[in-house]
């Protein structure tokens, strides 16, 4: 790959870029039940115009661009009010849920360093349903993780289970509202009371639900308390690029007060360049995502979100009922918002085959691996653009389950023998050989992925992760064509 010897015309550039998208997921027809949150072309047009208008403005120095400082402060104030915070709540706009969560963990770590220097290595207490972003934060920030299991029927994290893993070195307890995997809200008041009694911080991961749940509450649904109205909740992450339908690169991290947020900030005068004062992980930050988020919130306004929340919730109820009526499938827990997980309830139907059959019928569902006693399953996220497709989805799902019923188990037995291996000592060729045995040629995946998912599912997590990072290390490498 090298720069062209002669510049390309704009026409050639855009034509070529269009061809690059040929294999992409076609998300505009409401058949992608993950990755995409789409409120329709009018919202998209307004958001993209605002995005382009602020694309070049830089939030690196808010004194040079007061416009982006104002956008960020207004978005934080809007989010704080939405989550029943008072005027003391402080926060920042970030690039996504992961950055919000990394910052919450960094804040907890540095607050502990300041107030409890005897803690050598801070620990996070996480339900197994907590998003992987917390594990990533622990990995980046050198924190330890103590996992506790959730109720096998409701998939909710309880304070009783959390209490068993708290230690002297715990710096923060986490609950989800709701969890991404199963769409259920943890017992946040119970968890927050425990955290408060033990003098640790309590983070609520409302990345996926923080925006939509308050609208559902206003529509009369019994939404459990999860926000700043709950004593003991010290920080909340809330993505705007999910159920606020803002373009990607939009999330908020909110803290109960500025004393706590102070630990998030980073300044550096210890080099020869300009003075750095960064509230977030990024330093140079485009104003585009902020302006686009601000525009989307104002364009849809309160009535827009209320209307979408109602339609999406009604569609979710129909999906849950519809899945329960399909023999061979089982809904996990009681989905409280717009995210649904379903597993097979019979040995005759393997859920990973169902995902493959649905893909052949044009639908994208997300596979989720099993964990301990919790079964592998598929995940659906409903949104404004998928809600009108519920009947078509359910009809095809019934077909896919019947087709899957005739297929042999994808668990080829490959996974079992691998469980005892240590990825650190595995010869690299072996990874390639195992991948080839699974039908992976170079980085080209086979049409059906059930076999691969079944093997990943049967491996201990650390080994599955070793395979996945090896594969992606190949994927992110330009191959001359
Ligand atoms: C999506 C999500 C995250 C991670 O957010 P990204 O924007 O993908 O980084 C974290 N927690 C929950 C509950 C989520 O749904």
């Amino acid at each position: 790959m090298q720069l062209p010897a002669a510049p390309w015309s704009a026409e050639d550039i855009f034509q070529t870029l269009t061809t690059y998208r040929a294999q992409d997921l076609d998300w505009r027809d409401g058949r992608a039940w993950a990755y995409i949150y789409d409120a329709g072309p009018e919202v998209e047009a307004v958001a993209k115009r605002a995005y382009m208008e602020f694309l070049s403005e830089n939030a690196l120095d808010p004194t040079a661009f007061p416009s982006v400082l104002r956008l960020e402060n207004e978005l934080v104030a809007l989010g704080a009010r939405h989550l029943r915070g008072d005027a003391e709540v402080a926060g920042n706009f970030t690039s996504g849920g992961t950055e919000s969560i990394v910052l919450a963990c960094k804040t907890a770590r540095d607050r502990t360093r300041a107030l409890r220097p005897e803690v050598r290595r801070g620990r996070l207490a996480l339900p197994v349903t907590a998003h992987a972003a917390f594990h990533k934060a622990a990995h980046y920030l050198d924190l330890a993780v103590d996992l506790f299991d959730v109720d096998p029927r409701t998939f909710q994290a309880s304070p009783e289970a959390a209490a068993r893993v708290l230690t002297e070195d715990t710096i923060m307890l986490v609950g989800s509202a709701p969890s991404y995997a199963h769409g259920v809200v943890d017992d946040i008041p119970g968890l927050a009371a425990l955290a408060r009694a033990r003098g640790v911080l309590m983070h609520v991961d409302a990345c996926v639900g923080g925006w939509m749940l308050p609208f559902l509450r206003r529509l009369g649904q019994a939404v459990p308390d999860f926000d700043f109205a709950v004593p003991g909740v010290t920080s909340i992450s809330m993505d705007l690029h999910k159920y606020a339908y803002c373009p990607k690169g939009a999330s908020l991290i909110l803290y109960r007060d500025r004393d706590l947020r102070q630990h998030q900030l980073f300044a550096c005068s210890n080099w020869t360049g300009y003075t750095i004062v960064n509230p977030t992980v990024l330093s140079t930050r485009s104003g585009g995502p902020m302006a686009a988020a601000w525009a989307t919130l104002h364009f849809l306004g309160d009535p827009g979100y209320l209307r979408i929340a109602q339609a999406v919730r009604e569609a979710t109820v129909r999906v849950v009922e519809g899945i329960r009526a399909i023999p061979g499938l089982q809904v996990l827990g009681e989905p409280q918002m717009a995210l649904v997980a379903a597993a097979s309830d019979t040995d005759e139907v393997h859920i990973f085959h169902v995902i493959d059959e649905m893909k052949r019928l044009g639908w994208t569902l997300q596979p989720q691996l099993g964990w301990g006693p919790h079964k592998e399953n598929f995940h659906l996220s409903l949104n404004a653009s998928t809600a009108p497709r519920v009947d078509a989805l359910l009809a095809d799902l019934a077909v896919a389950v019947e087709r899957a019923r005739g297929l042999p188990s994808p668990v080829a037995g490959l996974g079992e023998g691998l469980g005892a291996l240590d990825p650190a000592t595995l010869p690299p060729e072996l990874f390639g050989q195992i991948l080839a045995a699974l039908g992976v040629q170079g980085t080209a995946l086979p049409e059906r992925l059930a076999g691969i998912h079944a093997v990943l599912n049967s491996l201990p997590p650390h080994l599955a992760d070793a395979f996945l990072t090896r594969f992606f290390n190949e994927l992110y490498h330009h191959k001359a064509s």
Side-chain angles (χ1 to χ4, degrees):
M1 196 75 200
Q2 59 185 25
L3 279 174
W8 288 22
S9 70
E11 197 188 337
D12 285 347
I13 288 169
F14 292 112
Q15 261 177 16
T16 305
L17 284 175
T18 300
T19 67
Y20 276 30
R21 280 215 275 230
Q23 305 301 319
D24 281 7
L25 185 63
D26 178 7
W27 52 268
R28 280 181 209 273
D29 65 353
R31 285 167 167 257
W33 290 56
Y35 312 114
I36 297 293
Y37 303 83
D38 172 19
E42 286 167 25
V43 178
E44 186 187 346
V46 170
K48 285 188 173 169
R49 177 170 166 199
Y51 200 109
M52 294 318 293
E53 288 196 8
F54 278 76
L55 179 64
S56 306
E57 276 65 23
N58 194 345
L60 168 67
D61 183 350
T63 64
F65 294 100
S67 64
V68 287
L69 175 64
R70 179 169 180 182
L71 288 171
E72 181 161 357
N73 282 342
E74 289 188 7
L75 285 164
V76 167
L78 238 151
R81 191 185 159 96
H82 192 59
L83 298 178
R84 299 189 286 186
D86 58 23
E88 296 303 308
V89 170
N92 286 94
F93 182 92
T94 73
S95 62
T98 300
E99 188 181 355
S100 293
I101 287 167
V102 167
L103 287 171
C105 295
K106 185 258 187 221
T107 300
R109 186 197 66 179
D110 289 1
R111 173 180 177 270
T112 306
R113 283 180 179 171
L115 302 183
R116 291 196 287 150
E118 68 280 8
V119 176
R120 302 295 296 273
R121 187 174 184 226
R123 311 186 72 88
L124 298 174
L126 306 178
V128 297
T129 48
H131 195 278
F134 291 96
H135 296 263
K136 181 173 175 179
H139 178 70
Y140 280 14
L141 298 166
D142 192 30
L143 299 169
V145 166
D146 294 306
L147 282 180
F148 59 96
D149 206 352
V150 294
D151 182 288
R153 199 177 46 82
T154 65
F155 292 90
Q156 278 172 315
S158 71
E160 295 73 30
R164 289 196 282 273
V165 302
L166 294 187
T167 75
E168 289 298 303
D169 291 346
T170 303
I171 62 171
M172 192 162 73
L173 174 61
V174 171
S176 309
S179 66
Y180 182 84
H182 307 99
V184 301
V185 181
D186 289 331
D187 176 4
I188 301 297
L191 292 169
L194 170 68
R196 206 176 182 198
R198 297 288 294 265
V200 300
L201 297 174
M202 170 76 207
H203 181 81
V204 176
D205 182 7
C207 277
V208 79
W211 192 258
M212 184 169 167
L213 287 174
F215 290 105
L216 292 183
R217 185 186 289 124
R218 281 171 50 198
L219 288 165
Q221 195 178 317
V223 172
D225 286 340
F226 68 93
D227 55 15
F228 286 114
V230 179
V233 170
T234 50
S235 58
I236 306 181
S237 47
M238 173 167 71
D239 291 351
L240 300 177
H241 62 201
K242 288 176 179 158
Y243 287 97
Y245 299 96
C246 299
K248 289 180 178 54
S251 175
L252 295 172
I253 176 65
L254 302 169
Y255 298 93
R256 189 171 281 279
D257 57 46
R258 261 174 298 164
D259 282 351
L260 181 53
R261 198 271 304 272
Q262 181 73 49
H263 298 284
Q264 181 187 287
L265 305 193
F266 174 80
C268 180
S269 315
N270 194 19
W271 71 311
T272 56
Y274 57 91
T275 301
I276 290 269
V277 194
N278 290 159
T280 60
V281 175
L282 305 184
S283 194
T284 289
R285 288 194 289 161
S286 167
M290 281 178 223
W294 190 94
T296 307
L297 297 188
H298 285 81
F299 189 64
L300 278 166
D302 192 64
Y305 285 110
L306 209 51
R307 171 176 49 78
I308 292 175
Q310 179 151 24
V312 170
R313 181 58 199 164
E314 282 169 8
T316 307
V317 170
R318 286 201 294 130
V319 166
V320 170
E321 284 170 359
I323 293 178
R324 287 195 172 132
I326 297 176
L329 292 184
Q330 162 193 19
V331 172
L332 299 179
E334 199 59 58
Q336 283 161 297
M337 200 180 82
L339 309 125
V340 180
S344 162
D345 63 2
T346 163
D347 288 343
E348 289 163 28
V349 176
H350 204 290
I351 206 70
F352 295 144
H353 282 318
V354 176
I355 297 172
D356 281 346
E357 293 299 336
M358 283 299 275
K359 190 172 160 205
R360 287 177 64 202
L361 293 166
W363 303 92
T364 302
L365 318 184
Q366 262 179 333
Q368 301 192 128
L369 303 182
W371 190 96
H374 312 303
K375 269 194 239 176
E376 63 275 17
N377 58 82
F378 68 69
H379 170 101
L380 303 173
S381 294
L382 284 90
N383 70 73
S385 71
T386 55
R389 306 296 302 257
V390 168
D391 292 334
L393 174 98
L394 290 171
D396 278 353
L397 195 52
V399 171
V401 170
E402 284 321 301
R403 288 183 180 165
R405 203 180 285 277
L407 297 174
S409 164
V411 188
L414 243 176
E416 279 95 78
L418 298 173
L421 299 178
D422 172 6
T425 62
L426 272 190
E429 321 81 71
L430 196 62
F431 276 96
Q433 286 163 10
I434 293 169
L435 287 172
L438 292 170
V440 182
Q441 293 176 344
T443 54
L445 291 173
E447 183 131 330
R448 302 188 70 96
L449 296 173
I452 293 174
H453 291 137
V455 169
L456 290 173
N457 195 50
S458 67
L459 293 175
H462 74 281
L463 206 55
D465 293 342
F467 270 93
L468 290 165
T469 54
R470 292 268 174 166
F471 179 70
F472 271 63
N473 197 30
E474 291 303 314
L475 204 54
Y476 284 99
H477 184 217
H478 179 73
K479 318 267 181 314
S481 52

